[in-house]
Amino acid sequence: MLAVELPNGDRVVLIRCNGRVTALADECSHQAMPLSAGEVMPDGTVECPWHGARFDCASGACRNGPATDDVPTYEVVVDGDRVSIGALRT
């Protein structure tokens, strides 16, 4: 995982999971702690280290509480070694 800040100030975490690069908002929907401090789990989720909430690395869907809300995702384009982060998905 790699935390980055976009020019507009959004904090995003890039995640390489199952051969794919995805981008999530770097903020747990439970208490706004940075997901980039957590770890990617074998089941394709990222786990928040503070309270154990898990979010799907591709969709941002909440898979385990105490969080109940999903995490926003961003479009990602990989071109060779270059990773571009696009628009926030709605």
Side-chain angles (χ1 to χ4, degrees), residues 3 47 90:
E47 182 177 74
T90 56

Side-chain angles (χ1 to χ4, degrees), residues 7-75:
N8 67 1
D10 287 354
R11 291 184 354 242
V12 175
V13 60
L14 289 168
I15 302 168
R16 184 184 308 254
C17 181
N18 298 324
R20 181 177 176 195
V21 177
T22 60
L24 303 177
D26 192 16
E27 186 174 285
C28 178
S29 62
H30 175 237
Q31 288 190 342
M33 304 303 265
L35 291 174
S36 58
E39 64 181 283
V40 177
M41 307 305 288
D43 65 356
T45 60
V46 60
E47 182 177 74
C48 178
W50 282 272
H51 299 107
R54 287 189 184 184
F55 303 91
D56 185 273
C57 289
S59 69
C62 181
R63 298 288 185 223
N64 189 55
T68 56
D69 295 329
D70 298 344
V71 172
T73 62
Y74 291 79
E75 294 177 10

Side-chain angles (χ1 to χ4, degrees), residues 72-89:
T73 62
Y74 291 79
E75 294 177 10
V76 173
V77 175
V78 179
D79 184 15
D81 291 340
R82 184 179 175 93
V83 177
S84 298
I85 302 169
L88 180 68
R89 293 183 178 156

